[in-house]
Amino acid sequence: MPTRLRASNLPSTVFPCSSIRPQSIPQPARISREFSQSSCRQITQRRRKFYEWMNGPGRMLKDPLPHSTNYLGAYDKFGNLIRGTFQPKDAKDATPKAEAAEGVEGVEAKPDTSSEGQESADDLDAAVSRSEREEMQKKEDGTEEGRLVPETLEDLRPFPLNRYFRSQPVLSEELREAIYQFVKRDGHSLQLASTTFGVSNERIGAVVRLKQMEKEWIAKGKILAIPYAKAVLDMLPTTPHVKERGKRAITHEPINDLIVHPATRQQLFVPVAESRHFTRVDAGKAFDNNLLPADERIPHPELIAAEKDNIDGYSVSERQRRAQERLEAEMAEKNKKKEEKRQAELASTKTVPQRRWDFVFQDVSVDSVGRNGRDPKGVGWRYGLPHQDRKKGQVKIPTKVEA
Amino acid sequence: MRKKPRFHSLKKLKVRQDWSRWTLYSLAHQRPPNVTGRTYFQQKWTAKSNTRAYHGEQIREKKWKRLFSRNLPAVVPMDFNYLAHHDGSEQAAGRGAGADSAEKLNRPPPMTPYMQMTYYPIERRLDTAIFRSLFASSVRQARQFCVHGLVKVNGKKMPYPGYMLNPGDMFQVEPSSVMFATGAPKKRTSTARKVAKEKAAARAEAREKAPQPSAPSQPEPVPTREEPTPAELKKHMQDLMEDVENVLNEDVGAKDKQKFRAFRQTVKKAVSLWKTASPETVSTLDAQFEFLKDALDKKQAAAEPSRNEPTESTALMSPEDQQKLRQAFDKLKLETEHTSAWNKKDASAPYATPWRPRDYMSAFAFIPRYLEVNQSICAAVYLRHPVARPGLAEVPTPFHLETGQLAFNWYLRRR
């Protein structure tokens, strides 16, 4: 567009007030569009705010805090660490107050009973952070000065809006090693490891499997990602390993989780005679005929049996003997089932050994295709039923990988 | 054609599954959903649009709709003490609501946030699980890792990012890629450029000079005997002890790794002499040491009564030798750890060296409980499906409970 007014010809009075004056912030010419030569001269308000936030309140999140987590939930609107602001000189006075505010009854106060009780996950995490705090106090008494107060549950929220999610502790490196040695070197069962360390059954298995692999890598001389591992474990809350012999391990997670059965999602009104002794088993029957009571569905029913022995007043040695007997019976049952399954498999297949490969014949039934002929257990191609796998949208991703 | 909207837009703040500063900014500026003055449909639409921008944004809507399930999994932690002391009948005692007791005054259990679990099927996907175990800085990057063949599930390459993990599946990502994804990005320097050029030149030279591919070396004959002959055993033991001496003389962190490598080789050979040792059973250093010791002891015990030559049998492995062997194994372990931990400047690495976590990583660093991760080998196990429990939902979602509920209701339509 040709300019009608040349700036040089104009008297200075043309721009009397500042609002009419051209407002362009001097900056290196950036190109507004790929195809265009004109430069974009504006910094939008949004962009300015973004950088303001990034350089202001968001600055603290750029680098990890040493020996601590660093989540958004731990900061206020102005980017101040909440637990840092009223950090008292002597953390000893602050700790009990914080605990009282949380309203958590001591897991510590009755360590013998409730370490495996696990009423709520909150209590567990509080116990972990409390133990960390204690450790910290010990260290503070000694040498370290500049360390932060350990975080409360509020500080572990990466998403400030979601009150129902927080970063939960992971197993520390020493604890993983201890679990591995407990299972592999000392040869204890997974169940015992689970109750001893307060870690769920599946996690114990996974830890052993991963540790085994790590050791294999070391034996092979493969390079591990140790700088990464150190940095990540420093950023995460961890469950420490209690090394003292007499002390109980800090419970990492609830180990007796009962899965909510779909049949129990509805409310039921079952009229029952007042005189009737209506137990959990009956309640389960009312929901579903095949629903077992909670005592049999939790991962550690042996703890209940042991506690019942305790109630019945058996001596310690007697209790141990009974527990051992139960364990053996259970193992025998399991082995028997496994053996039966193996035998059934052997009976149903016939192997004809050849020079390079064996021919294996398996019994199949035509009826296994089901009534509509589409059951995945069905074998072979059936007349009139085309394969679906060339159709659009048919998923061919494997559904499982054998370990 | 309509321009594709920006992935990170400041105009419409969307939380994405990555560790970028834009995501951090939008997390900090999130507000609870505005429910006043908007129709229910509008509320649901906004909730769906916002949550889908975060959860499985790389999946098409139709695919997600088929994944969606209205049955949300949950667990209740049980107290075994309570189960042992009560059989449940005490809840039915009294006037319908259970007998009055002091225990009833306890605070009620916290609410189970089912509505934050809407997107739990997506957490089963391989790409999402890789992102959740902190092996990639975004889901898109995790997806790329899968497609590029850097991910293994149960030891087998899995190129499908949409693979649904089963409980107990172990997945591992190439450690160098993980370090690249989570490390600070590299700044191009003149040294790096020079190194790259030199490398390219060397490669070109090697290609020109490349000789005809030689015949593949003969595979070692598989040992068919149950036990090695004494003479063979003795020779192997001598080799082994020589290597032990070499290793013990070498410093940890020495530049020349040849001696360590040679020792590893001889150990492997010594172990493979016995048929009872399969590579699966004798894979760790401790297992190798124990195996060698046991095997030699057994051999010795067998040899002694028959021949009664103590000089001959002690020559196999004396206690001092055993001690030395143990030390050598320890040194081997230290050496590997040292090499791995040695975070030195390296112009050829694709990330800034020495390695350090990328900016803003710590704000996003959490590992949900349904995963068990071993960071040093960059492997993780998918333990179980994510569940809701009283007061806690395991699906990491940045949205308000109400938003989750609205999104869940959106997908309930026609179901």
Side-chain angles (χ1 to χ4, degrees), chain B residues 157-177:
Chain B
K157 193 171 98 178
M158 175 55 71
Y160 305 109
Y163 172 71
M164 291 303 217
L165 289 164
N166 296 316
D169 271 356
M170 179 168 77
F171 54 94
Q172 53 191 115
V173 187
E174 196 59 35
S176 55
S177 308

Side-chain angles (χ1 to χ4, degrees), chain A residues 46-246:
Chain A
R46 290 195 194 93
R47 189 174 293 224
R48 197 169 55 234
K49 275 197 174 156
F50 172 71
Y51 281 108
E52 259 168 29
W53 190 86
M54 273 295 147
N55 296 326
R59 204 186 57 246
M60 292 293 286
L61 295 160
K62 193 166 183 181
D63 295 315
L65 291 177
H67 313 295
S68 163
T69 58
N70 192 18
Y71 297 121
L72 205 51
Y75 292 91
D76 65 1
K77 219 167 50 178
F78 310 104
N80 301 317
L81 196 61
I82 296 169
R83 70 194 136 121
T85 47
F86 56 85
Q87 177 187 359
K89 257 281 183 213
D90 43 350
K92 284 165 211 157
D93 296 347
T95 324
K97 265 182 224 159
E99 263 169 41
E102 275 166 34
V104 176
E105 294 87 47
V107 172
E108 218 173 13
K110 34 172 189 173
D112 290 341
T113 53
S114 66
S115 156
E116 284 139 18
Q118 296 117 25
E119 293 79 40
S120 84
D122 283 341
D123 291 0
L124 296 184
D125 288 358
V128 171
S129 67
R130 196 177 309 123
S131 76
E132 265 177 18
R133 232 173 279 163
E134 271 172 16
E135 232 170 65
M136 205 70 72
Q137 276 178 24
K138 269 182 216 158
K139 273 184 190 164
E140 259 173 37
D141 294 343
T143 51
E144 303 214 19
E145 281 287 310
R147 293 193 97 168
L148 276 168
V149 187
E151 48 285 84
T152 57
L153 298 184
E154 302 285 315
D155 297 326
L156 291 173
R157 279 199 199 132
F159 306 127
L161 220 51
N162 185 357
R163 286 180 42 240
Y164 298 98
F165 180 78
R166 63 162 179 276
S167 170
Q168 289 174 289
V170 298
L171 301 176
S172 61
E173 198 57 59
E174 301 94 67
L175 187 50
R176 282 183 211 161
E177 183 64 35
I179 289 173
Y180 176 80
Q181 298 295 358
F182 189 79
V183 174
K184 277 279 169 179
R185 192 191 54 201
D186 307 345
H188 295 298
S189 68
L190 294 189
Q191 296 245 318
L192 185 61
S194 168
T195 45
T196 315
F197 291 101
V199 175
S200 72
N201 279 337
E202 311 97 77
R203 197 178 297 279
I204 292 276
V207 164
V208 172
R209 196 171 158 198
L210 291 169
K211 258 285 164 198
Q212 173 79 19
M213 197 163 146
E214 187 185 326
K215 306 234 165 202
E216 280 169 23
W217 278 35
I218 288 176
K220 279 184 204 156
K222 271 198 186 180
I223 291 179
L224 314 176
I226 285 182
Y228 164 75
K230 269 191 187 152
V232 168
L233 285 177
D234 203 30
M235 285 178 209
L236 294 170
T238 51
T239 305
H241 174 45
V242 180
K243 287 204 191 67
E244 289 97 33
R245 293 243 78 181

Side-chain angles (χ1 to χ4, degrees), chain B residues 193-238:
Chain B
R193 232 169 282 143
K194 214 192 286 168
V195 166
K197 210 180 269 176
E198 275 169 15
K199 264 195 163 174
R203 236 179 291 136
E205 208 173 305
R207 215 178 302 131
E208 272 172 27
K209 267 199 223 157
Q212 294 303 313
S214 58
S217 57
Q218 289 294 317
E220 265 184 44
V222 181
T224 48
R225 284 176 305 262
E226 193 63 44
E227 292 208 332
T229 60
E232 224 179 2
L233 200 59
K234 202 168 175 192
K235 193 181 154 292
H236 267 286
M237 281 320 293
Q238 274 168 359

Side-chain angles (χ1 to χ4, degrees), chain A residues 190-354:
Chain A
L190 294 189
Q191 296 245 318
L192 185 61
S194 168
T195 45
T196 315
F197 291 101
V199 175
S200 72
N201 279 337
E202 311 97 77
R203 197 178 297 279
I204 292 276
V207 164
V208 172
R209 196 171 158 198
L210 291 169
K211 258 285 164 198
Q212 173 79 19
M213 197 163 146
E214 187 185 326
K215 306 234 165 202
E216 280 169 23
W217 278 35
I218 288 176
K220 279 184 204 156
K222 271 198 186 180
I223 291 179
L224 314 176
I226 285 182
Y228 164 75
K230 269 191 187 152
V232 168
L233 285 177
D234 203 30
M235 285 178 209
L236 294 170
T238 51
T239 305
H241 174 45
V242 180
K243 287 204 191 67
E244 289 97 33
R245 293 243 78 181
K247 262 182 132 183
R248 256 180 189 284
I250 295 168
T251 311
H252 177 67
E253 60 190 334
I255 55 172
N256 271 328
D257 275 345
L258 179 71
I259 295 166
V260 174
H261 194 275
T264 60
R265 290 230 178 90
Q266 54 181 334
Q267 279 195 355
L268 271 193
F269 292 95
V270 184
V272 173
E274 229 176 78
S275 55
R276 189 171 157 203
H277 190 70
F278 193 77
T279 61
R280 270 197 295 276
V281 184
D282 301 323
K285 286 258 170 60
F287 278 112
D288 190 305
N289 271 330
N290 298 325
L291 185 59
L292 294 172
D295 315 42
E296 289 166 50
R297 290 178 56 222
I298 59 173
H300 289 283
E302 80 274 5
L303 289 178
I304 298 180
E307 184 61 28
K308 274 187 179 155
D309 281 356
N310 193 12
I311 296 166
D312 294 346
Y314 287 103
S315 67
V316 177
S317 57
E318 187 77 352
R319 259 185 284 160
Q320 273 172 355
R321 190 184 59 75
R322 282 172 66 90
Q324 187 63 30
E325 270 173 15
R326 273 195 300 266
L327 185 70
E328 274 163 14
E330 195 188 331
M331 290 304 288
E333 179 74 12
K334 217 186 239 173
N335 286 341
K336 199 179 138 204
K337 267 196 185 150
K338 210 192 260 175
E339 182 62 22
E340 270 172 11
K341 199 178 170 194
R342 204 176 64 86
Q343 290 297 344
E345 214 165 83
L346 274 183
S348 69
T349 55
K350 198 174 118 192
T351 316
V352 180
Q354 293 292 319

